[in-house]
């Protein structure tokens, strides 16, 4: 909603008539969002479909209907604005990613994630840029060197939402955290690359400029991370200092949301990588702030962030689908359909090659550093990771619009071809590759619940009430008593809350190289950070905080009361 | 955030430079919102202040700083847009009002609320319009007849937020529900009146036009209500049919939010009263839909709606404060400061008189229909209700902007005077009357916890865990077994969950005239509505729904585990 709001806000006239079109647009969009959610729910058990593809389909169909109604003039009610995308839709999605990430897994695989996300994206960027220069230049499309480099950044941005919907965080924790982590770092890297390409003077490329680019990249990476961490710690400190013992849930939730958003916008203001900032803000908030608020606030924030992210994602796919049929940009292309098809084909091929060019070599490198077989990425997993990053989505679209349009209109032939090719690649990869993801993952990774279920956050049956709790807690227990693990007491400690034997995780624990770093971090965290900023187990206990207790038991008792009435 | 977004969206250029001003504006606004929340929290125990006044103060101060920095050119970063107000800020506030209202109290006092909210607002509108015509016309401000009528509608719209923050829903349930209910109906009535004044041809006023106006008013009232009820029931039906037994909290929360918003926008689309629609949608959703979702969704929706409403209110006051110093509109006024002051004084006087003109007579009328002394509105309560509606707030501002500005600029002298006078009245009434509210309410209504605490939703001490639960449940118990009350078994039934004797509520129950209507409604509700749409006690019990149980006990166990670690 609100894409067309621009014009509305400009007019600022009487609500009733002038902005009727924007009211219609909002109505249509909200209705379509509801339809997507309901249909997505109904198709959940389906073998091929997922929510993204459903939204894309509905978007394309709606675009087609609007096209028919408007007599072939228009397929969209709202103009795609990459500002709206970057200022309103992306922040909740990325923040939620950081907020819900299993920090343990993420930091355990940090080096591999950075290798794939940063170095890999850079390789992909170079391959696609060089490929575009050598293959597209002879085709007589008037693009400059900056455009080719921008193409590299645009098509280096993956969209792993599809695959993540299929992978199971509990069944394949290593794979999930790699795909997930790479996705976020990849988003940040490609946006930083894109901005770098746009800002630097690219007519004279030499070693100095290249070094400056690299230096700039690391500067952005570090400062953005620091800003996110500071914002997260600030929220933890404020809530711990001010709100202790009070029960104003609204204030807590509001402060958390506002500070998260503020971190994103501050980063945007300082021209840093806002994606990275808000991602790390999410991680810090879930580690400290979330434990300082009341239980109601915890449940509320957790689900609100997830819902916002969920709706944002559907909205984007719906929109991309609707925008795909926009007639204006196809007009230029219709004169030379062959060229458009071949450009799309070339770009799609470059995407496939560019990704293969780093996944397999970097996996090999990563495997060299790992001793345990369970930490190595076998060939099947490499193929899965490769596949997971083939989809191109909203970030690519937004960057393409930024580079190739002015005012949302595509009136230069070269630009129109690039926009339509981007749409073709996004649609094709999301739909065709997306549809094949579920079957492929099931083929490559047959369900292995018994073997790899390690840190299950949800109980399989209601009977095992305490299992997930202590299973989740266990990691930190192990770390707190890290010294005990070596003399064998750990198996006893883990046995407390875990019914099934866990030889894999124990062996991993003993052999993983990051253990020492992590151990000292936990010591520092427990000795300094948590006492100051709060966090699990470090929030002073409020004896019998009434709101918490009453609300927790309230609906349960209500249900009982209701049942006895019958 | 986003007021200036209009221009941003129009440009749709590169994010980095062009819309830097809007990024700055969003940053500033989010920071100020955080500041308001923190300061509001710190001043909670203060004798005079409340959140609205804090936000107004901060807004004025910020406006002053911006004015100094910009060298007296500008006091605001964002242009006030009544579209943004009506499309984004008002819906969550009104929806939350309906969602959190104590339906029992609201419907028990429905006739009095409608009397005050609809008839009273109409009286106020007539008094202020006539007063403005007779007092302002001689002052040589070039206003048309439509402008005077619009003034009536603008200053008939009250803002009872301030008083509601002071009144206690548990201590004075009758008063709270009257002030609260009147506030919502008043908002709807004044907006409908305002639209009617704008749309009708007012050059030839005769009986037909007047009758049409009245007919139009009732048509709007009834259709808007029906639309809201239908939207609410639809959400209940969808969630009950589709989501039973599943645990996709995100989908449930998303569907609830989207359908609530959709009801508002649909009403806007059909030119109905969107405020009424979304208010009744909120009531229906809290009665049916809310009981059909998982416990996590219940907690999430309840607190999310409250938070959105809370932030929206602060945002509005912050904005009004910031906008008040806008230099452009004061320029016209500075040439004739006396006139501006006298216009503001006249309007403020008319507000006081217009409200007194219906509160006291209508209270007298309402008291005639009540037999029990506890249901009558005594003089002290009448004064409180009168006082509660003296504040003028965001609705008045938004309507005034709609009537007297074009493109947010005030370039006609008459219009500029009207805008500045509105701002003066809003600031004066909110700050001066607002500051006096807490002391006045304490003076008029000394705390009477023991006497009137009837339906307490929160326990006073953690020991009395089941009291609020059964106390809250009691109303419906009484209604289900309504026939028992007459033969004296009710006192036993109420005794179950209530420690203190409740002679007042029992006597009320026996004497209230709406009892029969309510009894048949309950019968219908239980026999037909709840089996179809769900609701308290009518949602099939999911044995051991895992998400619910695990999350409910999770943090409690965590705290325990954490404490044992020390």
């Amino acid at each position: 909603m609100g894409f067309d709001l621009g014009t509305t806000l400009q007019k600022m006239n009487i609500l009733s008539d002038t902005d009727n079109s924007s009211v219609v647009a909002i109505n249509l969009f909200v209705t379509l969002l509801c339809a997507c959610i309901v249909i997505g729910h109904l198709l959940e058990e389906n073998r091929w479909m997922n929510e993204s593809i459903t939204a894309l389909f509905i978007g394309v169909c709606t675009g087609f209907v609007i096209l028919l109604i408007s007599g072939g003039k228009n397929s969209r009610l709202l103009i795609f604005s990459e500002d709206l995308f970057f200022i309103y839709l992306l922040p909740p999605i990325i923040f939620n990613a950081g907020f819900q990430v299993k920090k343990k897994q993420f930091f355990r695989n940090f080096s591999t994630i950075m290798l794939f996300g940063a170095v890999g994206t850079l390789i992909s960027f170079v391959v696609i840029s060089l490929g575009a220069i050598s293959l597209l230049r002879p085709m007589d499309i008037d693009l400059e060197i900056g455009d080719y480099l921008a193409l590299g950044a645009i098509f280096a941005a993956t969209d792993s939402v599809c695959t993540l919907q299929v992978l199971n965080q509990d069944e394949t924790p290593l794979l999930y955290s790699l795909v997930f982590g790479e996705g976020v770092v990849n988003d940040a890297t490609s946006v930083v690359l894109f901005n770098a390409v746009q800002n630097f003077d690219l007519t004279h490329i030499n070693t100095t400029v290249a070094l400056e680019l690299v230096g700039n990249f690391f500067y952005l990476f570090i400062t953005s991370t620091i800003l996110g961490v500071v914002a997260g710690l600030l929220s933890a400190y404020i809530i711990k200092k001010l709100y202790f013992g009070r029960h104003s849930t609204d204030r807590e939730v509001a402060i958390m949301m506002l500070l998260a958003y503020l971190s994103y916008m501050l980063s945007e203001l300082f021209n840093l990588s806002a994606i990275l900032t808000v991602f790390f803000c999410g991680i810090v908030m879930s580690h400290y702030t979330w434990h300082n608020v009341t239980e109601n606030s915890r449940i509320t924030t957790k689900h609100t962030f997830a819902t916002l992210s969920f709706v944002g994602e559907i909205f984007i796919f719906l929109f991309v689908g609707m925008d795909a049929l926009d007639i204006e940009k196809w007009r230029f292309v219709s004169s030379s359909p062959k060229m458009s098809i071949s450009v799309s084909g070339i770009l799609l091929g470059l995407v496939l090659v560019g990704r293969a060019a780093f996944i397999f070599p970097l996996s090999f490198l990563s495997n060299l550093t790992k001793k345990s077989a369970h930490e190595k990425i076998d060939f099947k997993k490499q193929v899965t990771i490769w596949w997971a990053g083939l989809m191109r989505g909203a970030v690519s679209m937004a960057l393409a619009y930024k580079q190739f349009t002015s005012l949302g209109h595509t009136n230069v032939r070269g630009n129109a071809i690039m926009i339509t090719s981007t749409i073709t690649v996004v649609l094709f990869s999301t739909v065709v590759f997306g549809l094949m993801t579920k079957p492929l993952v099931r083929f490559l990774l047959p369900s292995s619940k018994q073997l790899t279920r390690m840190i299950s956050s949800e109980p399989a049956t209601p009977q095992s009430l305490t299992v997930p709790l202590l299973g989740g807690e266990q990691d930190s227990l192990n770390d707190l008593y890290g010294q005990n693990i070596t003399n064998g007491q750990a198996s006893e400690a883990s046995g407390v809350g875990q019914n099934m034997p866990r030889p894999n995780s124990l062996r991993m624990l003993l052999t993983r190289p990051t253990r020492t770093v992590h151990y000292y971090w936990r010591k520092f965290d427990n000795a300094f950070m948590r006492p100051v900023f709060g966090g699990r187990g470090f929030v002073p206990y409020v004896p019998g905080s009434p709101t918490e207790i009453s609300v927790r038991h309230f609906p349960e008792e209500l249900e009982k009361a209701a049942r006895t009435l019958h």
Side-chain angles (χ1 to χ4, degrees), chain A:
Chain A
M1 61 251 185
F3 278 93
D4 200 18
L5 207 76
T7 34
T8 315
L9 293 183
Q10 286 281 299
K11 286 178 202 159
M12 289 198 189
N13 271 326
I14 302 145
L15 194 73
S16 49
D17 297 323
T18 45
D19 63 352
N20 202 39
S21 64
S22 89
V23 171
V24 171
I26 294 176
N27 270 301
L28 183 74
F29 251 80
V30 176
T31 312
L32 289 178
L33 281 175
C34 290
C36 285
I37 293 172
V38 170
I39 294 172
H41 170 76
L42 293 175
L43 290 176
E44 195 164 68
E45 304 297 319
N46 188 285
R47 192 180 156 76
W48 306 87
M49 294 297 278
N50 61 46
E51 219 119 32
S52 321
I53 302 176
T54 313
L56 260 183
F57 267 128
I58 292 180
V60 171
C61 294
T62 316
F64 189 69
V65 171
I66 299 173
L67 203 64
L68 284 183
I69 291 172
S70 69
K73 275 184 203 149
N74 200 2
S75 82
R76 50 185 192 181
L77 289 165
L78 308 167
I79 298 164
F80 190 88
S81 142
E82 74 286 347
D83 279 354
L84 206 95
F85 174 74
F86 280 109
I87 290 186
Y88 295 105
L89 295 172
L90 204 56
I93 295 176
I94 304 289
F95 176 79
N96 185 56
F99 198 75
Q100 316 272 0
V101 69
K102 296 206 165 170
K103 296 181 287 293
K104 211 64 209 238
Q105 279 290 334
F106 182 80
F107 286 110
R108 187 177 282 160
N109 305 314
F110 194 71
S111 53
T112 316
I113 287 171
M114 288 309 298
L115 205 62
F116 284 167
V119 181
T121 306
L122 208 64
I123 294 174
S124 185
F125 162 73
V126 171
V127 169
I128 295 171
S129 296
L130 292 179
I133 290 173
S134 56
L135 293 172
L136 295 183
R137 218 173 217 177
M139 291 177 79
D140 184 35
I141 314 163
D142 46 342
L143 295 178
E144 290 168 20
I145 181 80
D147 291 330
Y148 290 112
L149 291 176
L151 273 182
I154 289 168
F155 287 103
T158 65
D159 189 329
S160 39
V161 172
C162 251
T163 318
L164 287 179
Q165 286 176 349
V166 176
L167 288 179
N168 188 321
Q169 192 162 9
D170 301 321
E171 286 182 20
T172 51
L174 171 67
L175 200 59
Y176 189 93
S177 89
L178 284 182
V179 171
F180 174 90
E182 191 221 321
V184 175
V185 180
N186 168 284
D187 278 353
T189 311
S190 46
V191 172
V192 169
L193 272 173
F194 184 82
N195 286 338
V197 167
Q198 281 206 323
N199 293 336
F200 273 79
D201 179 22
L202 292 159
T203 43
H204 316 284
I205 300 179
N206 55 28
T207 346
T208 331
V209 173
L211 277 177
E212 261 182 59
L213 249 166
V214 172
N216 191 32
F217 178 77
F218 280 103
Y219 163 77
L220 284 179
F221 200 94
I222 292 163
T223 44
S224 305
T225 307
I226 291 173
L227 181 62
V229 171
V230 167
L233 290 179
L234 185 71
S235 74
Y237 190 78
I238 290 177
I239 288 178
K240 184 163 179 275
K241 273 287 156 196
L242 292 179
Y243 289 6
F244 158 64
R246 309 247 190 140
H247 311 114
S248 50
T249 297
D250 301 350
R251 284 212 186 92
E252 289 177 338
V253 176
I255 281 278
M256 276 179 82
M257 285 187 173
L258 289 173
L259 277 177
Y261 191 65
L262 187 63
S263 79
Y264 187 91
M265 290 314 293
L266 274 179
S267 185
E268 201 64 76
L269 183 69
F270 298 144
N271 285 317
L272 303 177
S273 168
I275 293 177
L276 271 180
T277 303
V278 81
F279 179 72
F280 278 98
C281 181
I283 289 182
V284 172
M285 276 203 178
S286 76
H287 190 63
Y288 297 109
T289 320
W290 194 70
H291 295 277
N292 296 351
V293 298
T294 58
E295 191 190 331
N296 283 342
S297 299
R298 278 181 221 164
I299 297 173
T300 304
T301 47
K302 191 182 154 200
H303 291 293
T304 306
F305 293 144
T307 306
L308 287 178
S309 164
F310 172 71
V311 174
E313 270 170 18
I314 297 180
F315 187 90
I316 290 170
F317 281 106
L318 194 58
F319 195 82
V320 168
M322 210 185 247
D323 198 65
L325 285 181
D326 179 52
I327 206 76
E328 194 187 334
K329 49 177 108 63
W330 292 100
R331 203 165 286 151
F332 286 96
V333 181
S334 57
S335 56
S336 50
K338 268 190 187 171
M339 178 187 278
S340 176
I341 293 170
S342 55
V343 168
S344 306
I346 288 169
L347 288 172
L348 207 60
L350 287 174
V351 164
L352 291 163
V353 174
R355 189 155 178 85
F358 76 86
I359 288 290
F360 300 107
L362 292 182
S363 297
F364 179 74
L365 271 182
S366 169
N367 284 345
L368 286 183
T369 64
K370 313 279 177 182
K371 285 163 199 159
S372 139
H374 298 276
E375 280 190 313
K376 290 194 179 181
I377 308 163
D378 61 29
F379 186 69
K380 280 184 177 177
K381 282 185 183 156
Q382 290 179 22
V383 173
T384 313
I385 295 173
W386 173 69
W387 187 268
L390 290 183
M391 274 67 88
R392 292 298 173 272
V395 175
S396 297
M397 287 286 285
L399 294 179
Y401 272 96
K402 223 177 191 174
Q403 178 74 18
F404 296 115
T405 66
S406 57
L407 280 158
H409 296 285
T410 44
N411 31 26
V412 182
R413 184 172 153 275
N415 289 357
I417 291 175
M418 283 303 127
I419 291 283
T420 50
S421 302
T422 309
I423 292 173
T424 312
V425 171
V426 167
L427 284 185
F428 185 86
S429 65
T430 308
V431 174
V432 177
F433 295 166
L435 282 175
M436 288 160 68
T437 302
K438 265 192 192 179
L440 188 87
V441 168
R442 281 188 197 159
F443 171 73
L444 287 174
L445 310 162
S447 189
S448 50
K449 275 187 187 173
Q450 271 62 39
L451 285 171
T452 43
R453 175 181 281 266
M454 283 171 38
I455 306 165
S456 165
S457 67
E458 300 211 337
T461 53
Q463 281 79 36
S464 61
L465 256 183
T466 51
V467 176
L469 157 73
L470 291 164
E473 185 74 318
Q474 191 176 9
D475 270 352
S476 43
L477 284 171
N478 284 347
D479 290 310
L480 280 168
Y481 300 115
Q483 56 276 33
N484 293 344
I485 290 173
T486 41
N487 54 46
Q489 288 183 18
S491 55
E492 201 187 305
S494 12
V496 173
Q498 202 78 358
N499 297 335
M500 49 197 110
R502 293 168 58 254
N504 293 350
S505 68
L506 188 65
R507 208 188 304 161
M508 263 172 75
L509 216 68
L510 291 167
T511 50
R512 67 170 179 218
T514 49
R515 210 191 129 262
T516 346
V517 177
H518 194 252
Y519 171 69
Y520 282 108
W521 156 246
R522 285 312 274 233
K523 263 191 117 166
F524 174 69
D525 194 25
N526 288 329
F528 177 71
M529 298 296 277
R530 290 194 183 186
V532 177
F533 297 108
R536 189 160 61 189
F538 277 78
V539 182
Y541 179 67
V542 191
S545 158
T547 9
E548 291 204 16
I549 293 166
S550 65
V551 176
R552 193 183 306 148
H553 292 273
F554 196 64
E556 199 184 347
E557 303 280 333
L558 265 181
E559 265 171 14
K560 263 188 217 160
R563 262 172 290 139
T564 49
L565 279 179
H566 288 100

